[in-house]
Amino acid sequence: MTSLSLGAPAPIGFGEKLWRINWGLVLVLSLIAGIGVVALYSAAGGHFEPWAAKHAIRYGVALALMLVVALVHPKVWLSLAWPLYIASLLLLVAVDVAGKIGMGAQRWLVIGPLQVQPSEITKVAVILVLARYYHGLSREQAGRLVYTLAPVVVILAPVGLVMVQPDLGTAMMVMLGGAALLFVAGVRLWMFLAAAVCAVGCLPIAWTFMHEYQRKRVLTFLDPDRDPLGAGYHITQSKIAIGSGGLFGKGFLHGTQSSLNFLPEKQTDFIFTTFVEEWGMVGACVLLALFALVLIWGFSIALRSQHHFGRLVALGVTAMMFLYVFINTAMVMGLLPVVGVPLPLVSNGGTAMVSVMFACGLLIGVNVYRDAQLPLAR
């Protein structure tokens, strides 16, 4: 970490900042969250409790947070990147020491009336600290091996702490999101190939450290009919629900797999299945098209940024959103092992929603301050 001298504030007024907020993106995020409310209302059998009402209230609070974050100058996030990252590591350690245990995992901290999942915060902290690191490097330096060692440690430290919980899905998200940011920052391709070869070589060792239920999930992914009433029950019911939805779905509040409780975790990781059963392929395409708009706006904002920090933050947030959507939808369709990744703004879960909206606030802020001049610092 080096000393940081803050740059001059961007010469734009408050009115222009509001004008530069991408309100189209805000609208799309609100539509996605609205679909989440509808799906959670249906998952509860046509009731706002226990999930839909809380989801709507959380989104209202998170939306206000996102707009505040978007109006904060990027030099503030540049200076806070390392403190936020270190704080997220300390929270992960606190989870491993004194976290709440639920569903066979230790992933949450209970703080008064709140239940926080620090691993969700870590995803954003890793993006910020990697963006700050590469903001201070030239393209040539970013491609050298010696400058890649520190970012690898930055990524692997939280991955190790998250794996202890255990939370394989979040660990994958942090690792793949970090790798994507390294790629766009200019790390050479041969380093990724070498890392991939090492990863394949370490698979037998990793298998011995995996929990029994994780091994069953992998084996079920490779052979879906291996244990349909045990480890394969989730994915079997999910496929039945998605397939039975057909082109236009069974209709709102008429999803049998969900309403008759055949579908486990219908309000969290399998909320996409709940939605598709009732709204069919057409509904799925509409939802995925909304997410595609978020990704397109993310790339557009990254390309317009005049500072490297903002460009990397925008690409990191965009990559994170892509990984969320891709892993969740592929998982519930049986194209990937079940690893417990929520669908952003749709699945029930407070920390995940707040962290995603915080990240979207950073993304929108890059557009607001796209012409800012930021000091170089690692």
Side-chain angles (χ1 to χ4, degrees):
M1 197 184 311
T2 64
S3 61
L4 175 67
S5 84
L6 301 180
I12 56 175
F14 184 72
E16 188 173 355
K17 291 176 187 175
L18 291 179
W19 177 256
R20 288 188 175 192
I21 288 178
N22 191 326
W23 293 105
L25 178 56
V26 175
L27 175 63
V28 169
L29 293 173
S30 300
L31 290 173
I32 294 172
I35 288 176
V37 173
V38 170
L40 291 171
Y41 178 85
S42 176
H47 301 285
F48 281 106
E49 297 293 342
W51 305 306
K54 290 179 181 176
H55 191 78
I57 294 171
R58 283 175 190 149
Y59 181 73
V61 174
L63 178 62
L65 171 68
M66 182 187 75
L67 295 176
V68 171
V69 170
L71 294 174
V72 176
H73 198 286
K75 66 184 181 185
V76 175
W77 302 120
L78 188 72
S79 63
L80 290 178
W82 279 109
L84 287 174
Y85 174 77
I86 293 171
S88 71
L89 288 184
L90 293 175
L91 287 173
L92 288 177
V93 172
V95 170
D96 293 337
V97 173
K100 178 185 175 183
I101 299 176
M103 294 184 293
Q106 190 167 341
R107 302 174 183 171
W108 301 272
L109 279 179
V110 179
I111 305 173
L114 300 177
Q115 185 169 288
V116 180
Q117 189 173 355
S119 58
E120 295 291 339
I121 302 170
T122 303
K123 297 171 188 171
V124 184
V126 168
I127 291 173
L128 277 175
V129 80
L130 289 178
R132 168 172 171 148
Y133 180 81
Y134 282 105
H135 173 72
L137 295 181
S138 66
R139 187 77 177 178
E140 182 183 354
Q141 288 175 319
R144 295 180 186 171
L145 178 61
V146 66
Y147 288 100
T148 308
L149 298 178
V152 169
V153 173
V154 163
I155 296 170
L156 292 184
V159 166
L161 291 170
V162 172
M163 288 291 287
V164 172
Q165 294 180 0
D167 187 349
L168 182 59
T170 300
M172 283 177 55
M173 286 281 297
V174 175
M175 189 179 297
L176 293 175
L181 209 147
L182 263 58
F183 179 75
V184 298
V187 172
R188 303 283 170 77
L189 185 60
W190 71 265
M191 295 185 206
F192 290 98
L193 296 175
V197 171
C198 290
V200 172
C202 292
L203 281 179
I205 300 174
W207 183 262
T208 62
F209 283 98
M210 291 175 69
H211 293 261
E212 185 61 26
Y213 79 93
Q214 292 174 328
R215 294 178 192 162
K216 286 183 178 179
R217 287 179 176 180
V218 175
L219 293 173
T220 300
F221 166 69
L222 297 174
D223 182 8
D225 299 325
R226 178 175 175 271
D227 187 11
L229 297 179
Y233 183 77
H234 288 205
I235 196 60
T236 300
Q237 295 300 321
S238 180
K239 288 180 178 178
I240 292 172
I242 291 175
S244 63
L247 186 59
F248 297 106
K250 293 178 177 176
F252 184 47
L253 299 178
H254 290 90
T256 53
Q257 296 298 111
S258 173
S259 61
L260 297 177
N261 291 322
F262 285 106
L263 188 63
E265 303 300 330
K266 58 186 177 184
Q267 79 281 11
T268 53
D269 297 344
F270 286 83
I271 192 68
F272 184 72
T273 305
T274 303
F275 179 73
V276 175
E277 184 184 20
E278 295 189 346
W279 298 89
M281 183 182 293
V282 172
C285 288
V286 170
L287 179 55
L288 293 178
L290 292 174
F291 279 118
L293 282 175
V294 174
L295 300 182
I296 291 170
W297 262 314
F299 279 115
S300 173
I301 289 172
L303 292 175
R304 296 180 68 186
S305 174
Q306 298 300 309
H307 48 93
H308 199 41
F309 176 73
R311 195 175 306 119
L312 292 175
V313 167
L315 289 173
V317 172
T318 305
M320 184 188 77
M321 289 294 287
F322 169 77
L323 288 170
Y324 261 122
V325 177
F326 173 73
I327 294 177
N328 178 272
T329 54
M331 176 185 79
V332 300
M333 289 187 288
L335 302 177
L336 286 177
V338 176
V339 289
V341 172
L343 190 61
L345 306 182
V346 182
S347 293
N348 180 53
T351 313
M353 172 177 282
V354 170
S355 64
V356 165
M357 292 297 281
F358 185 92
C360 289
L362 294 173
L363 176 64
I364 294 173
V366 171
N367 189 55
V368 172
Y369 297 97
R370 56 183 177 269
D371 303 321
Q373 298 295 317
L374 299 182
L376 298 179
R378 291 201 297 273

